[in-house]
Amino acid sequence: MGSLLYVCVRPERGAADAEHASFRRALGADVVDRLDLLDGPLDPARLRGYRGIVVGGSPFNVSDVEKIPEQLRVEADLRTIAQRAIDAEVAVFFTCFSIGVVTRMLGGDVTTETPEAASATVIRTTPVGASDPVFGPSSPALTVFTAHKESSVALPAGAELLATNEDCPVQAYRVGTHLYAAQFHPEPTPRDFADRMTFYRTTGYFDPDEFDHVQDQVLSASVTEGTALLRRFAETFV
């Protein structure tokens, strides 16, 4: 068993495999174990022995009106993991879709009014973020990859805002000391992100007719601080 666990919530196997590889590379870890929530119900025993968990992205949206049974189960399992982090039993870094799950769990609202297309974007750390052990060294601003259709309307109860920008005010927050939630994707390199785009070419994250142009912009971006965030997360808790 590794000291870190990657929790997968992507239905697309190829995208999931690539994301796992991205997290392993970003964390600099020889072993990052994997748990696929779409394979079946979560056995809480699978979380034992880990000091750190990273949750990947997904094409699911918590704001979807109609949800397949697998998505409902995944959301319930993510709430279980989030509660473990709130109770400081394990440190968890949620990304993308799962920040919406945590926001809803804390009584907050999620909106489709502040989406961000697949691209590199600049986010700013808040005063709380500047003093945070994970986000602080990246202050006052960092460039990360985004691609989402929904986001938190406002900071949910009990959370502290770590990072923001004009397009999506709630970019990252912390709950207590062990739960981190980010709207963006911290793990991919430009090459990783460009390759991931091929799995979601026609799913609404960008104009499919502009695929080559968007991919070229991604490949030319200078994005390194996401990886630094994850490594500091691992160093802090693992």
Side-chain angles (χ1 to χ4, degrees), residues 38-61:
L38 284 158
D39 287 349
L42 172 66
D43 177 1
R46 283 285 281 112
L47 306 179
R48 295 174 187 163
Y50 296 101
R51 296 181 62 189
I53 296 174
V54 292
V55 181
S58 176
F60 291 150
N61 293 291

Side-chain angles (χ1 to χ4, degrees), residues 83-211:
Q83 190 60 55
R84 296 286 183 95
I86 292 170
D87 294 339
E89 295 178 13
V90 63
V92 185
F93 199 117
F94 293 91
T95 70
C96 186
F97 157 70
S98 58
I99 189 176
V101 176
V102 177
T103 295
R104 282 271 185 92
M105 175 184 175
L106 297 174
D109 295 323
V110 174
T111 181
T112 57
E113 295 181 1
T114 52
E116 290 179 287
S119 64
T121 188
V122 177
I123 63 175
R124 303 183 308 276
T125 52
T126 65
V128 174
S131 63
D132 179 78
V134 175
F135 279 77
S138 293
S139 297
L142 56 155
T143 303
V144 294
F145 283 119
T146 59
H148 59 94
K149 301 174 185 177
E150 63 179 11
S151 58
S152 302
V153 172
L155 197 65
E160 296 180 285
L161 189 65
L162 299 174
T164 183
N165 69 2
E166 288 75 15
D167 294 331
C168 179
V170 183
Q171 284 286 353
Y173 60 73
R174 186 186 67 211
V175 180
T177 58
H178 282 56
L179 191 156
Y180 286 81
Q183 186 62 72
F184 56 88
H185 298 271
E187 81 288 348
T189 63
R191 180 74 264 173
D192 293 342
F193 199 70
D195 290 344
R196 188 179 303 171
M197 287 171 55
T198 62
F199 292 97
Y200 302 104
R201 185 168 187 156
T202 60
T203 55
Y205 292 103
F206 49 85
D207 183 346
D209 292 334
E210 295 293 320
F211 177 82

Side-chain angles (χ1 to χ4, degrees), residues 119-121 143-145 189-190 215-224:
S119 64
T121 188
T143 303
V144 294
F145 283 119
T189 63
Q215 193 177 59
D216 286 344
Q217 288 185 320
V218 164
L219 288 170
S220 65
S222 177
V223 176
T224 60

